[in-house]
Structures are given as structure tokens and as C-alpha cells.
Amino acid sequence: MHPVIESIKGKLIVSVQAYPGEPLRTPEVMALMSRACELGGAAAIRCQGLSDISAIKGRVDIPVIGLWKEGHEGVYITPTLRHALAVVNAGADVVALDATDRPRPDGRTFAETVKAIRERTETLIMADCMTIDDIRNAVACGCDLVSTTLSHNKPAIQTTLEEGPDVELLAQATSEFPDVPIICEGHVHTPADAKAALDAGAWAVVVGTAITHPTSLTSWFCAAMK
């Protein structure tokens, strides 16, 4: 097993991202936040954008899962081969990309994209999935890591504290593919959520909003106090 995959088993991955127009959206801030998460025990960082990937990779000693978002609808998480190779060149240890069967801007299928990445680089591939069929396809394509990232089918910024991770999909995936590293990502808002994901068989758990998005955290407190 690849050392990066082994190093995150049973551990926390922190997604360090800021949205367009937010005051924290600078590579230096994202790098500092990533280092703080590393000091807190994070086993890896997930981040987006070439500048952020490069800055974070230079600040932390743990693996960096990189992606490049372009657009807001359809396939926007590392949507093309060009985006994937740029993420690799920025220094990511793992490149994450949308693993759904939706049309991609460059006309390639997901399988064709994975094959092209394999032909050009040895970087690990993480498949961001929406459904069990996406997970099955990602496994068939030979992806190194498979994640439930897109199972809620809406941006993390739109979540509420009460919405938890898709444990049902996670349990189905880990039962069907017991030897594949299945990552739980999406709506993991509390330590109890993270523990439930591990109990359902997750290889590792990604937490983003609940750790690194102060705007959402503040809004949750404000809503509870009304």
C-alpha cells in the first residue's frame, strides 16, 4: 500500500478552503491555517487552487490532497485533464476530481481522464463521488482513494449544523468494497459525526467547514441563539 494512503488510515483530513470574496481567501492564510491543523493532529490537508496548493505544500509536512475548482455547477472539481495535471505540478500528493458521469468540459469521460493522468504521472487519484454507481465506477477505474464528497449534491457553505454525513452511502460502499480506502467527506460537523463515519467503515474522515470556515461556524451559533 502507498505510504500516503497508509498514513491517513483512521485519521482526520482537514479541508482548508475559503470561498470567493471571503476575507481569508489568500494562499498565505490558507497555509497558516493548514499548519495549525497539522499541529492539532490532522493527517492530511485537502485544498483547492494552484496558489493554495503550492503555499500549503511548502508549510506542512503532511500529505496534501489538491484540487482545482472552476465554475459552480456540473463538473467543477478538477473538471479536465488540464486541471488535474496543473494540480499535480503545483505539488499535490493526491489529485482529487469529480468522479460522476456528468459531461466534462474537455469531452473526456471520467475513465478516460483517469487513464490519461496515469499515463502522465504517478500521483495518487482521489475520486469525489455522488452515488454508489460513481463509487463502483471509480473502483473499476483503479482510483487510489474514493470519497463520498458529492453525495449531498450541494456546496458545503449551504449546510446546516443538523445535517450529518451520508453514513448510509458510506456503509454501503465499505461493505461492497472492503479492501478499497473509502473516505467520508461532507457534512461532518462534530466529533460524533467523525466517529460515526469511522464506525461505518471509513478509511479516513474529511472535515472542512466545521474547522476552517468561521463564517459558517458563526452563523450556526447565531442561529442557535435566536
PDB file of all heavy atoms in Angstrom, residues 114-145:
ATOM      1  N   VAL A 114      -8.924   9.536 -15.917  1.00  0.00           N
ATOM      2  CA  VAL A 114      -8.070   8.766 -15.004  1.00  0.00           C
ATOM      3  C   VAL A 114      -6.951   8.084 -15.779  1.00  0.00           C
ATOM      4  O   VAL A 114      -5.779   8.113 -15.371  1.00  0.00           O
ATOM      5  CB  VAL A 114      -8.899   7.721 -14.228  1.00  0.00           C
ATOM      6  CG1 VAL A 114      -7.988   6.774 -13.459  1.00  0.00           C
ATOM      7  CG2 VAL A 114      -9.869   8.419 -13.271  1.00  0.00           C
ATOM      8  N   LYS A 115      -7.284   7.487 -16.908  1.00  0.00           N
ATOM      9  CA  LYS A 115      -6.283   6.795 -17.727  1.00  0.00           C
ATOM     10  C   LYS A 115      -5.197   7.772 -18.193  1.00  0.00           C
ATOM     11  O   LYS A 115      -3.993   7.465 -18.143  1.00  0.00           O
ATOM     12  CB  LYS A 115      -6.955   6.141 -18.928  1.00  0.00           C
ATOM     13  CG  LYS A 115      -6.011   5.341 -19.825  1.00  0.00           C
ATOM     14  CD  LYS A 115      -6.789   4.632 -20.930  1.00  0.00           C
ATOM     15  CE  LYS A 115      -5.879   3.759 -21.784  1.00  0.00           C
ATOM     16  NZ  LYS A 115      -4.928   4.569 -22.568  1.00  0.00           N
ATOM     17  N   ALA A 116      -5.610   8.964 -18.602  1.00  0.00           N
ATOM     18  CA  ALA A 116      -4.654   9.962 -19.082  1.00  0.00           C
ATOM     19  C   ALA A 116      -3.753  10.465 -17.960  1.00  0.00           C
ATOM     20  O   ALA A 116      -2.559  10.706 -18.161  1.00  0.00           O
ATOM     21  CB  ALA A 116      -5.392  11.125 -19.731  1.00  0.00           C
ATOM     22  N   ILE A 117      -4.306  10.606 -16.769  1.00  0.00           N
ATOM     23  CA  ILE A 117      -3.495  11.016 -15.616  1.00  0.00           C
ATOM     24  C   ILE A 117      -2.457   9.941 -15.312  1.00  0.00           C
ATOM     25  O   ILE A 117      -1.278  10.232 -15.067  1.00  0.00           O
ATOM     26  CB  ILE A 117      -4.384  11.274 -14.379  1.00  0.00           C
ATOM     27  CG1 ILE A 117      -5.297  12.474 -14.615  1.00  0.00           C
ATOM     28  CG2 ILE A 117      -3.521  11.519 -13.134  1.00  0.00           C
ATOM     29  CD1 ILE A 117      -6.348  12.674 -13.522  1.00  0.00           C
ATOM     30  N   ARG A 118      -2.880   8.687 -15.336  1.00  0.00           N
ATOM     31  CA  ARG A 118      -1.977   7.569 -15.053  1.00  0.00           C
ATOM     32  C   ARG A 118      -0.818   7.519 -16.058  1.00  0.00           C
ATOM     33  O   ARG A 118       0.304   7.174 -15.708  1.00  0.00           O
ATOM     34  CB  ARG A 118      -2.751   6.256 -15.119  1.00  0.00           C
ATOM     35  CG  ARG A 118      -3.754   6.038 -14.014  1.00  0.00           C
ATOM     36  CD  ARG A 118      -3.069   5.741 -12.722  1.00  0.00           C
ATOM     37  NE  ARG A 118      -4.014   5.258 -11.716  1.00  0.00           N
ATOM     38  CZ  ARG A 118      -3.986   5.593 -10.445  1.00  0.00           C
ATOM     39  NH1 ARG A 118      -3.054   6.440 -10.014  1.00  0.00           N
ATOM     40  NH2 ARG A 118      -4.852   5.117  -9.586  1.00  0.00           N
ATOM     41  N   GLU A 119      -1.114   7.849 -17.301  1.00  0.00           N
ATOM     42  CA  GLU A 119      -0.083   7.793 -18.339  1.00  0.00           C
ATOM     43  C   GLU A 119       0.962   8.894 -18.178  1.00  0.00           C
ATOM     44  O   GLU A 119       2.080   8.758 -18.682  1.00  0.00           O
ATOM     45  CB  GLU A 119      -0.744   7.915 -19.718  1.00  0.00           C
ATOM     46  CG  GLU A 119      -1.575   6.700 -20.095  1.00  0.00           C
ATOM     47  CD  GLU A 119      -2.378   6.912 -21.364  1.00  0.00           C
ATOM     48  OE1 GLU A 119      -2.483   8.079 -21.814  1.00  0.00           O
ATOM     49  OE2 GLU A 119      -2.902   5.914 -21.904  1.00  0.00           O
ATOM     50  N   ARG A 120       0.591   9.965 -17.459  1.00  0.00           N
ATOM     51  CA  ARG A 120       1.467  11.130 -17.381  1.00  0.00           C
ATOM     52  C   ARG A 120       2.103  11.358 -16.010  1.00  0.00           C
ATOM     53  O   ARG A 120       3.033  12.153 -15.879  1.00  0.00           O
ATOM     54  CB  ARG A 120       0.679  12.385 -17.776  1.00  0.00           C
ATOM     55  CG  ARG A 120       0.274  12.412 -19.245  1.00  0.00           C
ATOM     56  CD  ARG A 120      -0.839  13.435 -19.483  1.00  0.00           C
ATOM     57  NE  ARG A 120      -1.125  13.629 -20.900  1.00  0.00           N
ATOM     58  CZ  ARG A 120      -1.887  12.814 -21.620  1.00  0.00           C
ATOM     59  NH1 ARG A 120      -2.422  11.730 -21.051  1.00  0.00           N
ATOM     60  NH2 ARG A 120      -2.121  13.071 -22.898  1.00  0.00           N
ATOM     61  N   THR A 121       1.594  10.717 -14.982  1.00  0.00           N
ATOM     62  CA  THR A 121       2.094  10.979 -13.632  1.00  0.00           C
ATOM     63  C   THR A 121       1.846   9.785 -12.723  1.00  0.00           C
ATOM     64  O   THR A 121       0.979   8.941 -13.002  1.00  0.00           O
ATOM     65  CB  THR A 121       1.395  12.221 -13.039  1.00  0.00           C
ATOM     66  OG1 THR A 121       1.817  12.407 -11.677  1.00  0.00           O
ATOM     67  CG2 THR A 121      -0.116  12.050 -13.032  1.00  0.00           C
ATOM     68  N   GLU A 122       2.587   9.726 -11.623  1.00  0.00           N
ATOM     69  CA  GLU A 122       2.399   8.675 -10.619  1.00  0.00           C
ATOM     70  C   GLU A 122       1.637   9.184  -9.400  1.00  0.00           C
ATOM     71  O   GLU A 122       1.511   8.476  -8.398  1.00  0.00           O
ATOM     72  CB  GLU A 122       3.755   8.125 -10.192  1.00  0.00           C
ATOM     73  CG  GLU A 122       4.523   7.433 -11.317  1.00  0.00           C
ATOM     74  CD  GLU A 122       5.843   6.864 -10.852  1.00  0.00           C
ATOM     75  OE1 GLU A 122       6.200   7.061  -9.668  1.00  0.00           O
ATOM     76  OE2 GLU A 122       6.527   6.216 -11.668  1.00  0.00           O
ATOM     77  N   THR A 123       1.122  10.410  -9.483  1.00  0.00           N
ATOM     78  CA  THR A 123       0.381  10.992  -8.364  1.00  0.00           C
ATOM     79  C   THR A 123      -0.889  10.191  -8.080  1.00  0.00           C
ATOM     80  O   THR A 123      -1.574   9.732  -9.008  1.00  0.00           O
ATOM     81  CB  THR A 123       0.010  12.458  -8.678  1.00  0.00           C
ATOM     82  OG1 THR A 123       1.211  13.184  -8.930  1.00  0.00           O
ATOM     83  CG2 THR A 123      -0.723  13.109  -7.514  1.00  0.00           C
ATOM     84  N   LEU A 124      -1.213  10.032  -6.807  1.00  0.00           N
ATOM     85  CA  LEU A 124      -2.413   9.312  -6.407  1.00  0.00           C
ATOM     86  C   LEU A 124      -3.664  10.057  -6.868  1.00  0.00           C
ATOM     87  O   LEU A 124      -3.675  11.284  -6.969  1.00  0.00           O
ATOM     88  CB  LEU A 124      -2.450   9.139  -4.893  1.00  0.00           C
ATOM     89  CG  LEU A 124      -1.293   8.341  -4.275  1.00  0.00           C
ATOM     90  CD1 LEU A 124      -1.388   8.376  -2.749  1.00  0.00           C
ATOM     91  CD2 LEU A 124      -1.297   6.912  -4.779  1.00  0.00           C
ATOM     92  N   ILE A 125      -4.738   9.300  -7.099  1.00  0.00           N
ATOM     93  CA  ILE A 125      -6.001   9.876  -7.570  1.00  0.00           C
ATOM     94  C   ILE A 125      -7.102   9.599  -6.555  1.00  0.00           C
ATOM     95  O   ILE A 125      -7.308   8.467  -6.135  1.00  0.00           O
ATOM     96  CB  ILE A 125      -6.396   9.295  -8.937  1.00  0.00           C
ATOM     97  CG1 ILE A 125      -5.329   9.628  -9.986  1.00  0.00           C
ATOM     98  CG2 ILE A 125      -7.765   9.819  -9.374  1.00  0.00           C
ATOM     99  CD1 ILE A 125      -5.572   8.970 -11.328  1.00  0.00           C
ATOM    100  N   MET A 126      -7.817  10.668  -6.194  1.00  0.00           N
ATOM    101  CA  MET A 126      -8.963  10.571  -5.286  1.00  0.00           C
ATOM    102  C   MET A 126     -10.230  10.887  -6.068  1.00  0.00           C
ATOM    103  O   MET A 126     -10.324  11.932  -6.721  1.00  0.00           O
ATOM    104  CB  MET A 126      -8.806  11.554  -4.121  1.00  0.00           C
ATOM    105  CG  MET A 126      -9.940  11.551  -3.112  1.00  0.00           C
ATOM    106  SD  MET A 126      -9.531  12.659  -1.721  1.00  0.00           S
ATOM    107  CE  MET A 126     -10.959  12.424  -0.667  1.00  0.00           C
ATOM    108  N   ALA A 127     -11.198   9.985  -6.030  1.00  0.00           N
ATOM    109  CA  ALA A 127     -12.448  10.150  -6.769  1.00  0.00           C
ATOM    110  C   ALA A 127     -13.523  10.734  -5.857  1.00  0.00           C
ATOM    111  O   ALA A 127     -13.893  10.111  -4.857  1.00  0.00           O
ATOM    112  CB  ALA A 127     -12.900   8.807  -7.322  1.00  0.00           C
ATOM    113  N   ASP A 128     -14.010  11.907  -6.203  1.00  0.00           N
ATOM    114  CA  ASP A 128     -15.096  12.552  -5.448  1.00  0.00           C
ATOM    115  C   ASP A 128     -16.424  12.077  -6.030  1.00  0.00           C
ATOM    116  O   ASP A 128     -16.782  12.437  -7.160  1.00  0.00           O
ATOM    117  CB  ASP A 128     -14.995  14.068  -5.542  1.00  0.00           C
ATOM    118  CG  ASP A 128     -13.835  14.625  -4.738  1.00  0.00           C
ATOM    119  OD1 ASP A 128     -13.205  13.859  -3.991  1.00  0.00           O
ATOM    120  OD2 ASP A 128     -13.569  15.836  -4.855  1.00  0.00           O
ATOM    121  N   CYS A 129     -17.164  11.275  -5.263  1.00  0.00           N
ATOM    122  CA  CYS A 129     -18.351  10.596  -5.772  1.00  0.00           C
ATOM    123  C   CYS A 129     -19.654  11.155  -5.210  1.00  0.00           C
ATOM    124  O   CYS A 129     -19.684  11.746  -4.127  1.00  0.00           O
ATOM    125  CB  CYS A 129     -18.260   9.111  -5.452  1.00  0.00           C
ATOM    126  SG  CYS A 129     -16.819   8.307  -6.188  1.00  0.00           S
ATOM    127  N   MET A 130     -20.737  10.917  -5.978  1.00  0.00           N
ATOM    128  CA  MET A 130     -22.069  11.339  -5.559  1.00  0.00           C
ATOM    129  C   MET A 130     -22.949  10.143  -5.199  1.00  0.00           C
ATOM    130  O   MET A 130     -23.753  10.216  -4.275  1.00  0.00           O
ATOM    131  CB  MET A 130     -22.733  12.155  -6.673  1.00  0.00           C
ATOM    132  CG  MET A 130     -24.076  12.757  -6.321  1.00  0.00           C
ATOM    133  SD  MET A 130     -24.808  13.698  -7.705  1.00  0.00           S
ATOM    134  CE  MET A 130     -23.597  15.005  -7.926  1.00  0.00           C
ATOM    135  N   THR A 131     -22.808   9.042  -5.921  1.00  0.00           N
ATOM    136  CA  THR A 131     -23.676   7.876  -5.761  1.00  0.00           C
ATOM    137  C   THR A 131     -22.849   6.597  -5.654  1.00  0.00           C
ATOM    138  O   THR A 131     -21.646   6.585  -5.918  1.00  0.00           O
ATOM    139  CB  THR A 131     -24.617   7.741  -6.966  1.00  0.00           C
ATOM    140  OG1 THR A 131     -23.831   7.419  -8.131  1.00  0.00           O
ATOM    141  CG2 THR A 131     -25.389   9.038  -7.225  1.00  0.00           C
ATOM    142  N   ILE A 132     -23.537   5.513  -5.319  1.00  0.00           N
ATOM    143  CA  ILE A 132     -22.843   4.226  -5.243  1.00  0.00           C
ATOM    144  C   ILE A 132     -22.359   3.809  -6.631  1.00  0.00           C
ATOM    145  O   ILE A 132     -21.309   3.164  -6.764  1.00  0.00           O
ATOM    146  CB  ILE A 132     -23.764   3.139  -4.628  1.00  0.00           C
ATOM    147  CG1 ILE A 132     -22.963   1.848  -4.363  1.00  0.00           C
ATOM    148  CG2 ILE A 132     -24.966   2.887  -5.497  1.00  0.00           C
ATOM    149  CD1 ILE A 132     -21.840   1.990  -3.372  1.00  0.00           C
ATOM    150  N   ASP A 133     -23.074   4.195  -7.675  1.00  0.00           N
ATOM    151  CA  ASP A 133     -22.615   3.872  -9.033  1.00  0.00           C
ATOM    152  C   ASP A 133     -21.324   4.625  -9.364  1.00  0.00           C
ATOM    153  O   ASP A 133     -20.441   4.080 -10.033  1.00  0.00           O
ATOM    154  CB  ASP A 133     -23.692   4.220 -10.059  1.00  0.00           C
ATOM    155  CG  ASP A 133     -24.843   3.222 -10.060  1.00  0.00           C
ATOM    156  OD1 ASP A 133     -24.612   2.063  -9.638  1.00  0.00           O
ATOM    157  OD2 ASP A 133     -25.963   3.587 -10.457  1.00  0.00           O
ATOM    158  N   ASP A 134     -21.210   5.868  -8.889  1.00  0.00           N
ATOM    159  CA  ASP A 134     -19.951   6.606  -9.070  1.00  0.00           C
ATOM    160  C   ASP A 134     -18.811   5.881  -8.368  1.00  0.00           C
ATOM    161  O   ASP A 134     -17.696   5.772  -8.900  1.00  0.00           O
ATOM    162  CB  ASP A 134     -20.067   8.016  -8.481  1.00  0.00           C
ATOM    163  CG  ASP A 134     -21.059   8.892  -9.211  1.00  0.00           C
ATOM    164  OD1 ASP A 134     -21.359   8.620 -10.387  1.00  0.00           O
ATOM    165  OD2 ASP A 134     -21.538   9.870  -8.586  1.00  0.00           O
ATOM    166  N   ILE A 135     -19.087   5.400  -7.173  1.00  0.00           N
ATOM    167  CA  ILE A 135     -18.061   4.694  -6.399  1.00  0.00           C
ATOM    168  C   ILE A 135     -17.651   3.414  -7.113  1.00  0.00           C
ATOM    169  O   ILE A 135     -16.462   3.101  -7.226  1.00  0.00           O
ATOM    170  CB  ILE A 135     -18.580   4.396  -4.981  1.00  0.00           C
ATOM    171  CG1 ILE A 135     -18.728   5.710  -4.193  1.00  0.00           C
ATOM    172  CG2 ILE A 135     -17.655   3.426  -4.241  1.00  0.00           C
ATOM    173  CD1 ILE A 135     -19.393   5.562  -2.833  1.00  0.00           C
ATOM    174  N   ARG A 136     -18.620   2.696  -7.627  1.00  0.00           N
ATOM    175  CA  ARG A 136     -18.313   1.460  -8.364  1.00  0.00           C
ATOM    176  C   ARG A 136     -17.437   1.758  -9.579  1.00  0.00           C
ATOM    177  O   ARG A 136     -16.480   1.033  -9.869  1.00  0.00           O
ATOM    178  CB  ARG A 136     -19.609   0.783  -8.790  1.00  0.00           C
ATOM    179  CG  ARG A 136     -20.391   0.157  -7.646  1.00  0.00           C
ATOM    180  CD  ARG A 136     -21.795  -0.219  -8.057  1.00  0.00           C
ATOM    181  NE  ARG A 136     -22.545  -0.799  -6.939  1.00  0.00           N
ATOM    182  CZ  ARG A 136     -23.884  -0.764  -6.850  1.00  0.00           C
ATOM    183  NH1 ARG A 136     -24.598  -0.193  -7.811  1.00  0.00           N
ATOM    184  NH2 ARG A 136     -24.490  -1.304  -5.813  1.00  0.00           N
ATOM    185  N   ASN A 137     -17.774   2.816 -10.302  1.00  0.00           N
ATOM    186  CA  ASN A 137     -17.004   3.184 -11.482  1.00  0.00           C
ATOM    187  C   ASN A 137     -15.594   3.621 -11.105  1.00  0.00           C
ATOM    188  O   ASN A 137     -14.618   3.271 -11.785  1.00  0.00           O
ATOM    189  CB  ASN A 137     -17.724   4.304 -12.239  1.00  0.00           C
ATOM    190  CG  ASN A 137     -17.054   4.634 -13.560  1.00  0.00           C
ATOM    191  OD1 ASN A 137     -16.672   3.740 -14.314  1.00  0.00           O
ATOM    192  ND2 ASN A 137     -16.900   5.918 -13.842  1.00  0.00           N
ATOM    193  N   ALA A 138     -15.481   4.381 -10.014  1.00  0.00           N
ATOM    194  CA  ALA A 138     -14.159   4.839  -9.566  1.00  0.00           C
ATOM    195  C   ALA A 138     -13.270   3.662  -9.188  1.00  0.00           C
ATOM    196  O   ALA A 138     -12.072   3.643  -9.500  1.00  0.00           O
ATOM    197  CB  ALA A 138     -14.315   5.786  -8.381  1.00  0.00           C
ATOM    198  N   VAL A 139     -13.851   2.687  -8.527  1.00  0.00           N
ATOM    199  CA  VAL A 139     -13.092   1.483  -8.162  1.00  0.00           C
ATOM    200  C   VAL A 139     -12.668   0.731  -9.423  1.00  0.00           C
ATOM    201  O   VAL A 139     -11.524   0.289  -9.551  1.00  0.00           O
ATOM    202  CB  VAL A 139     -13.922   0.573  -7.236  1.00  0.00           C
ATOM    203  CG1 VAL A 139     -13.203  -0.758  -7.012  1.00  0.00           C
ATOM    204  CG2 VAL A 139     -14.187   1.263  -5.901  1.00  0.00           C
ATOM    205  N   ALA A 140     -13.591   0.618 -10.377  1.00  0.00           N
ATOM    206  CA  ALA A 140     -13.281  -0.073 -11.624  1.00  0.00           C
ATOM    207  C   ALA A 140     -12.170   0.632 -12.403  1.00  0.00           C
ATOM    208  O   ALA A 140     -11.380  -0.017 -13.094  1.00  0.00           O
ATOM    209  CB  ALA A 140     -14.536  -0.183 -12.488  1.00  0.00           C
ATOM    210  N   CYS A 141     -12.114   1.952 -12.269  1.00  0.00           N
ATOM    211  CA  CYS A 141     -11.086   2.734 -12.964  1.00  0.00           C
ATOM    212  C   CYS A 141      -9.736   2.685 -12.259  1.00  0.00           C
ATOM    213  O   CYS A 141      -8.737   3.186 -12.787  1.00  0.00           O
ATOM    214  CB  CYS A 141     -11.534   4.192 -13.084  1.00  0.00           C
ATOM    215  SG  CYS A 141     -12.883   4.468 -14.250  1.00  0.00           S
ATOM    216  N   GLY A 142      -9.722   2.096 -11.059  1.00  0.00           N
ATOM    217  CA  GLY A 142      -8.463   1.944 -10.341  1.00  0.00           C
ATOM    218  C   GLY A 142      -8.042   3.150  -9.520  1.00  0.00           C
ATOM    219  O   GLY A 142      -6.846   3.311  -9.241  1.00  0.00           O
ATOM    220  N   CYS A 143      -8.988   3.986  -9.108  1.00  0.00           N
ATOM    221  CA  CYS A 143      -8.641   5.147  -8.271  1.00  0.00           C
ATOM    222  C   CYS A 143      -8.070   4.681  -6.938  1.00  0.00           C
ATOM    223  O   CYS A 143      -8.487   3.662  -6.388  1.00  0.00           O
ATOM    224  CB  CYS A 143      -9.864   6.032  -8.048  1.00  0.00           C
ATOM    225  SG  CYS A 143     -10.435   6.834  -9.564  1.00  0.00           S
ATOM    226  N   ASP A 144      -7.145   5.454  -6.410  1.00  0.00           N
ATOM    227  CA  ASP A 144      -6.460   5.060  -5.179  1.00  0.00           C
ATOM    228  C   ASP A 144      -7.308   5.303  -3.939  1.00  0.00           C
ATOM    229  O   ASP A 144      -7.237   4.553  -2.962  1.00  0.00           O
ATOM    230  CB  ASP A 144      -5.150   5.852  -5.053  1.00  0.00           C
ATOM    231  CG  ASP A 144      -4.252   5.635  -6.253  1.00  0.00           C
ATOM    232  OD1 ASP A 144      -3.680   4.539  -6.368  1.00  0.00           O
ATOM    233  OD2 ASP A 144      -4.141   6.556  -7.089  1.00  0.00           O
ATOM    234  N   LEU A 145      -8.088   6.370  -3.968  1.00  0.00           N
ATOM    235  CA  LEU A 145      -8.976   6.733  -2.863  1.00  0.00           C
ATOM    236  C   LEU A 145     -10.339   7.086  -3.440  1.00  0.00           C
ATOM    237  O   LEU A 145     -10.427   7.694  -4.509  1.00  0.00           O
ATOM    238  CB  LEU A 145      -8.428   7.938  -2.094  1.00  0.00           C
ATOM    239  CG  LEU A 145      -7.062   7.771  -1.424  1.00  0.00           C
ATOM    240  CD1 LEU A 145      -6.470   9.137  -1.095  1.00  0.00           C
ATOM    241  CD2 LEU A 145      -7.200   6.932  -0.157  1.00  0.00           C
TER     242      LEU A 145
END
